[in-house]
Each structure stands twice: as structure tokens, then as C-alpha cells.
């Protein structure tokens, strides 16, 4: 069984929906209760056994690298106090994972960001997490569920969820035939369609497992919507040549790239946090 060891976090976007909060701070560092968004994603990757973390950053994102590093002064300061426990989760991550970084110098789209990560990934299957989609798996984490599908079928897998029909234009949307419960063979993919043109209401969310042949496909994918190189377009080409699967994950996703989803996630995790305080 090949375990997927690597996970890529495209995090070069400007996060304009959160301005001015994201003017000098990466969107991925916005805290949901007591943890930055990206830490939830890294914990999910780690649970799935993907412990080599590759982060595609851009200008103004140094806080990400500092977060996944030891903070000697701080640790010395709180050593022996009750506050030490607050760093337990991040220490576990630092002990279990490696972190590599590369920069996307121009925002040419998610497909381009993933291609920029090629040097961190090499020639093996890998996970992709968009940290602003915060996922809570039912039982196993979403990446763990997807890794199981990959082990069985050995092809690219995208996570999907049903969204209200009038919201499809915010997403990449698939058409496909159901292979087994919740697993679809993709026949078509459209990036941000108008509701009338959408092939379904099954929307792609920010979790992917990709095979390394996707890099060549992205290299040959022309800019699409908004002049950006779209991963959806590359996966559509991949689906015509090989199989691409869409997996309706078990669990819940919060769109923390939007203020509405971010507040929903905060409320949800605050309830969970309160339970740990008793
Ligand atoms: P979004 O579409 O959410 O864009 O990108 P954004 O810039 O982060 O946020 P808004 O819309 O301006 O508020 C989806 C994901 O793809 C990454 C982003 O960092 C985010 O995780 N991305 C997008 C890149 O890394 N590079 C790009 O060129 C585009």
C-alpha cells in the first residue's frame, strides 16, 4: 500500500474578502477560536499520514513559517506554567511533520499555485488542502476518507458536497456517474457556472488527492476563467484521459474564505472549545 506522504497547501492568495484583516496578515492565520485556519488543515493532513507539508506562499506570508517553528523565547517564558498545555497541539505537529515552502510570485490561479508546488512534491501522489475550507470529518477526517478512495482506485480524487443550486457559481461543479455510494466518475467539470449551465449541484471543495502526472497537464492548460490557470480545467483534461473521481465526503465544511462561513465555524468550534473547559 503506497501511503500518501505529502500534502500541499496553496496559500498565496490575497484573501481580499477579509480586508482589512488580511492586509498584512495571511488569511490562513485567521484564528477560529484558538487555532489559525491552516493548523486545522495540517492536523487533518497529519491524521491522514501526510506528514510532509508543502506550503505555497507569497509576499507577506512569513507568519505561516513562523507558526510552524519553535518559539524559544515564548516557550521559555511559559515553561512550567499552566499555559504550557496550550502549545501541546502545535508541538505535536512540529514533532511529527516537516515543512517546506515555495513562493508563487504571481497570482495566476490555483492550478498555477499547485504547479508551483511541484518541486516540493516530486513524483508521487499528494494531497491538496485549501485551508480556508475548514472540514470536520464524520469519524475520520476528510483527507483520511479520500486517501482510502485513492488506495482503492489509484487516480485523482476531488472532494465534493451538495450546495444549493443558486450557489453553484461560487464553485467548480461536476457531472458524473455514481460508481459506489458517494463516489462518482467525473465526466464533466465546470468552473463557476451560472446556475442554468451547471451540470449538477455537486460542488468541488478545497480537498484533492492528485497524481503527479497532473503537473504536465497543468503546464499545458491554458488560462481559463478570470485569466487564471484553473485546477478544474486541468482535472477536466485529466478526466478525459484517465479516471478522475469525485467523493462526497462524510462530514461538514465551513467556507472560512467568506465572513459568513468563518463566523459559522467560529460558533461551531466555540461550542466544542467550551466543552474542553469544564
Ligand atoms: P481564493 O479564490 O479563495 O482566493 O483562492 P483568495 O485570494 O485566497 O481569497 P479572496 O477571494 O481574495 O478573498 C483559493 C485558494 O487558492 C489559493 C488561495 O491562497 C486559497 O487558498 N491560491 C489562489 C493561490 O495560492 N494562488 C493563486 O494564484 C490563487
Amino acid at each position: 500500500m503506497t501511503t500518501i506522504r505529502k500534502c500541499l497547501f496553496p496559500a498565496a492568495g490575497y484573501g481580499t474578502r477579509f480586508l482589512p484583516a488580511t492586509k498584512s496578515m495571511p488569511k490562513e492565520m485567521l484564528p477560529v477560536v484558538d487555532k489559525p485556519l491552516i493548523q486545522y488543515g495540517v492536523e487533518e493532513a497529519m491524521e491522514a499520514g501526510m506528514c510532509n507539508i508543502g506550503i505555497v506562499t507569497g509576499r507577506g506570508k512569513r507568519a505561516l513559517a513562523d507558526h510552524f517553528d519553535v518559539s524559544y523565547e515564548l516557550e521559555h517564558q511559559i515553561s512550567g506554567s499552566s499555559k504550557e498545555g496550550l502549545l501541546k497541539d502545535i508541538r505535536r505537529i512540529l514533532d511529527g511533520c516537516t515543512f517546506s515552502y515555495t513562493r508563487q510570485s504571481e497570482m495566476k490561479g490555483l492550478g498555477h499555485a499547485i504547479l508551483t508546488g511541484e518541486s516540493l512534491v516530486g513524483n508521487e501522489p499528494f494531497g491538496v488542502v485549501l485551508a480556508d475550507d475548514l472540514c470536520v470529518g464524520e469519524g475520520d477526517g476528510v483527507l483520511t476518507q479520500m486517501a482510502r478512495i485513492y488506495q482503492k482506485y489509484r487516480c485523482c480524487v476531488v472532494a465534493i458536497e451538495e450546495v444549493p443550486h443558486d450557489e453553484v457559481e461560487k464553485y467548480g461543479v461536476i457531472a458524473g456517474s455514481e460508481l459506489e455510494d458517494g463516489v462518482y466518475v467525473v465526466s464533466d467539470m465546470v468552473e463557476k457556472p451560472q446556475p442554468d449551465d451547471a451540470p449538477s449541484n455537486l460542488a468541488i471543495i478545497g480537498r484533492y488527492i492528485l497524481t503527479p502526472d497532473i503537473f504536465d497537464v497543468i503546464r499545458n492548460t491554458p488560462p481559463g476563467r478570470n485569466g487564471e490557470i484553473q485546477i478544474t480545467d486541468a482535472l477536466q483534461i485529466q478526466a478525459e484521459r484517465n479516471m478522475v473521481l469525485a467523493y462526497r465526503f462524510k462530514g461538514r465544511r465551513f467556507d472560512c474564505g467568506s465572513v459568513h462561513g468563518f463566523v459559522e465555524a467560529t460558533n461551531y468550534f466555540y461550542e466544542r472549545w467550551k466543552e474542553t473547559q469544564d
Side-chain angles (χ1 to χ4, degrees):
M1 186 164 115
T2 344
T3 12
I4 303 176
R5 302 180 306 152
K6 296 190 177 169
C7 192
L8 207 57
F9 286 71
Y14 294 125
T16 53
R17 281 170 289 171
F18 269 95
L19 283 171
T22 47
K23 187 162 172 260
S24 64
M25 182 178 78
K27 164 168 85 172
E28 296 76 13
M29 288 302 294
L30 291 173
V32 171
V33 184
D34 57 354
K35 266 192 257 185
L37 273 176
I38 193 158
Q39 187 174 333
Y40 289 93
V42 168
E43 285 174 357
E44 185 185 327
M46 197 178 172
E47 181 208 310
M50 303 175 197
C51 296
N52 299 157
I53 307 296
I55 305 186
V56 180
T57 64
R59 282 176 290 280
K61 299 274 186 170
R62 274 181 39 198
L64 289 170
D66 287 340
H67 185 69
F68 294 111
D69 196 358
V70 180
S71 171
Y72 286 107
E73 265 179 44
L74 172 69
E75 301 216 5
H76 175 74
Q77 190 71 32
I78 63 175
S79 152
S81 80
S82 59
K83 293 192 178 136
E84 233 181 338
L86 298 174
L87 292 180
K88 180 171 60 63
D89 288 349
I90 186 78
R91 274 214 197 107
R92 196 175 59 86
I93 293 175
L94 296 183
D95 289 343
C97 295
T98 64
F99 290 85
S100 316
Y101 301 87
T102 190
R103 274 202 185 199
Q104 186 192 18
S105 42
E106 273 183 280
M107 298 306 108
K108 292 194 202 159
L110 178 57
H112 182 262
I114 292 174
L115 183 59
T116 305
E118 182 179 17
S119 58
L120 304 180
V121 169
N123 191 26
E124 50 185 291
F126 61 102
V128 175
V129 168
L130 305 187
D132 48 6
D133 269 342
L134 206 174
C135 291
V136 185
E138 217 175 272
D140 290 324
V142 174
L143 273 182
T144 304
Q145 297 174 31
M146 294 173 76
R148 266 202 299 272
I149 305 293
Y150 171 79
Q151 295 302 349
K152 193 163 168 194
Y153 297 103
R154 308 267 157 176
C155 64
C156 293
V157 184
V158 302
I160 51 166
E161 110 181 330
E162 280 187 51
V163 297
H165 213 76
D166 56 350
E167 287 183 20
V168 286
E169 60 195 316
K170 294 199 278 184
Y171 300 91
V173 175
I174 69 132
S177 50
E178 202 162 8
L179 181 64
E180 60 172 275
D181 186 29
V183 180
Y184 298 77
V185 179
V186 173
S187 56
D188 197 12
M189 274 189 181
V190 193
E191 184 61 27
K192 301 192 172 61
Q194 288 302 309
D196 287 346
D197 303 330
S200 72
N201 67 338
L202 296 173
I204 303 172
I205 62 123
R207 296 289 182 280
Y208 305 77
I209 289 186
L210 301 176
T211 51
D213 52 347
I214 198 71
F215 293 123
D216 272 337
V217 179
I218 300 173
R219 247 186 291 281
N220 293 308
T221 301
R225 219 187 144 84
N226 298 335
E228 296 185 338
I229 299 175
Q230 302 286 355
I231 188 63
T232 314
D233 294 343
L235 282 166
Q236 164 72 27
I237 298 168
Q238 179 82 344
E240 286 160 18
R241 295 182 188 163
N242 289 307
M243 188 163 70
V244 171
L245 294 177
Y247 170 62
R248 207 174 59 226
F249 66 94
K250 296 188 174 62
R252 185 159 180 201
R253 174 195 68 112
F254 297 95
D255 172 14
C256 291
S258 73
V259 171
H260 181 76
F262 187 87
V263 172
E264 263 183 6
T266 301
N267 289 335
Y268 175 88
F269 280 94
Y270 176 58
E271 291 304 317
R272 284 185 27 165
W273 178 85
K274 273 202 301 202
E275 284 162 23
T276 66
Q277 302 301 302
D278 303 331

